[in-house]
């Protein structure tokens, strides 16, 4: 099996990010995008889980009901810190959301914005 690699064009710091994992059937509360939102990442909506965790997920992973939605597909919000020049294994390119799920040389995995990557 051939794997695809990408090079980090711009360092991605994931400092201060909290991560959550949601599963099908889980109930979440969908928040509103704030008025001062810069419009970045339009595919994402803020959510709160019933156990108090919060994060941003692609809206397509949730039922259409608002504000109480049901998760329709698993999603993990983990981001992968990476430095410019680093080579990563590309596992999933989610062009619709603008992010890719990658693995580094140490085996750590997470999302990185596509705008920070160059295809090899």
């Amino acid at each position: 099996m051939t794997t695809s690699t990408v090079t980090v064009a711009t360092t991605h710091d994931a400092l201060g990010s909290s991560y959550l994992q949601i599963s099908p059937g889980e109930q979440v509360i969908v928040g509103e995008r704030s008025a001062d939102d810069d419009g970045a990442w339009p595919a994402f909506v803020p959510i709160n889980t019933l156990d108090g965790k919060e994060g941003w997920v692609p809206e397509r992973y949730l039922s259409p009901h608002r504000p109480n939605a049901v998760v329709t597909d698993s999603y993990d919000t983990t981001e992968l810190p990476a430095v410019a020049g680093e080579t990563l294994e590309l596992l999933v390119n989610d062009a619709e959301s603008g992010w890719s799920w990658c693995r580094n040389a140490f085996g750590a995995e997470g999302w990185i914005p596509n705008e920070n990557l160059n295809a090899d």
Side-chain angles (χ1 to χ4, degrees):
M1 180 168 105
T2 304
T3 60
S4 182
T5 60
V6 291
T7 302
V8 178
T10 307
T11 296
H12 176 64
D13 293 319
L15 302 174
S17 298
S18 61
Y19 306 116
L20 64 99
Q21 296 173 341
I22 55 174
S23 301
E26 184 176 347
Q27 294 183 356
V28 297
I29 300 166
V30 180
E32 297 290 327
R33 294 181 78 100
S34 67
D36 62 347
D37 182 357
D38 64 4
W41 315 119
F44 290 82
V45 292
I47 65 160
N48 288 296
T49 62
L50 298 184
D51 62 358
K53 295 179 183 171
E54 56 185 37
W56 289 75
V57 301
E59 189 166 17
R60 70 183 188 275
Y61 286 81
L62 307 172
S63 69
H65 310 300
R66 298 294 181 266
N68 300 316
V70 175
V71 176
T72 58
D73 291 299
S74 296
Y75 192 77
D76 181 340
T77 67
T78 300
E79 291 184 37
L80 182 65
V83 296
E86 185 175 357
T87 299
L88 305 172
E89 183 179 358
L90 175 64
L91 302 175
V92 175
N93 178 358
D94 185 5
E96 187 174 341
S97 71
W99 291 69
S100 288
W101 185 264
C102 298
R103 179 184 300 133
N104 68 18
F106 302 104
E109 295 182 9
W111 293 105
I112 296 182
N114 288 344
E115 64 190 22
N116 292 62
L117 301 173
N118 287 327
D120 286 349

